[in-house]
Amino acid sequence: QTQAAYSSVKYKNGLQCFFHIIRTESLLCLYKGLASPLLGQAVINAIIFSTQGNMIKSLQAQGTTLPTVKNSFISGCVAGFFQAFICGPLELIKIRLQMQNIGLESQTIFSDSKKLTPWSCVRNILRQEGIKGLCCGLGSTFLREVPSFGVYFATYDSLCKLELKEGQRIDEIYSSIH
């Protein structure tokens, strides 16, 4: 997917590409751009689960213990919306780090000839494109994350309800799964 349309095809298949990268750059090169999403996962998960939990509490009627599928879906969508503000820029940084030194992108996005770190990538984006640069692709991130987290939490809560036995509380099921 990263082979530019203006150049001839470099690789016949994925294996040839893999071995070429190992030979020319190193095995560690396969992990370029991985640090920012790994570090961001703790923040993303905190946003997702705290938002979803708070939304369920605010949507549920007083005295009911089981979330409805509709409320689970809505709370998941809201959680997906808020986490996209972190997820989107992190993915952008990861992609830019992976794309450095490839085709025209290396001439326009990366003015420095040295290898970028996640922080230097952020600085370059802010310097060249401003704060809007970090939001590049945010619309498609919303389109992916909002409905997918709605479906995820609606499915999860529905499956937990299937496992609920007579007289058992839903939080007992949640704690046994986690």
Side-chain angles (χ1 to χ4, degrees), residues 80-133:
F81 174 80
F82 284 109
Q83 72 87 31
F85 287 104
I86 304 297
C87 177
L90 286 175
E91 288 180 356
L92 176 71
I93 293 163
K94 177 190 74 154
I95 291 167
R96 297 262 177 114
L97 289 171
Q98 290 170 339
M99 294 296 296
Q100 65 183 326
N101 303 324
I102 296 177
L104 293 176
E105 291 85 3
S106 64
Q107 298 166 13
T108 58
I109 297 170
F110 311 109
S111 58
D112 302 343
S113 60
K114 59 186 179 192
K115 297 282 185 191
L116 289 177
T117 65
W119 293 115
S120 62
C121 184
V122 170
R123 280 193 304 273
N124 282 354
I125 292 170
L126 290 174
R127 189 174 344 133
Q128 294 174 11
E129 304 170 45
I131 195 76
K132 284 184 177 181

Side-chain angles (χ1 to χ4, degrees), residues 126-172:
L126 290 174
R127 189 174 344 133
Q128 294 174 11
E129 304 170 45
I131 195 76
K132 284 184 177 181
L134 284 176
C135 299
C136 182
L138 200 54
S140 56
T141 302
F142 285 130
L143 289 173
R144 181 189 69 206
E145 300 294 321
V146 171
S148 67
F149 276 103
V151 170
Y152 172 83
F153 281 107
T155 303
Y156 179 78
D157 285 342
S158 297
L159 292 173
C160 285
K161 284 182 209 174
L162 290 175
E163 290 295 314
L164 195 62
K165 298 184 180 35
E166 188 69 38
Q168 190 178 21
R169 293 190 342 245
I170 192 86
D171 59 340
E172 293 172 1

Side-chain angles (χ1 to χ4, degrees), residues 7 12 20 49 110:
S7 67
K12 294 177 188 168
H20 176 76
F49 290 105
F110 311 109

Side-chain angles (χ1 to χ4, degrees), residues 37-93:
L38 282 180
L39 294 174
Q41 278 304 310
V43 175
I44 288 170
N45 285 338
I47 291 169
I48 291 168
F49 290 105
S50 63
T51 303
Q52 189 270 344
N54 288 327
M55 282 300 299
I56 280 289
K57 287 177 187 171
S58 67
L59 291 172
Q60 284 298 111
Q62 291 260 324
T64 59
T65 57
L66 298 175
T68 64
V69 173
K70 177 183 169 188
N71 288 347
S72 294
F73 180 78
I74 291 170
S75 65
C77 287
V78 171
F81 174 80
F82 284 109
Q83 72 87 31
F85 287 104
I86 304 297
C87 177
L90 286 175
E91 288 180 356
L92 176 71
I93 293 163

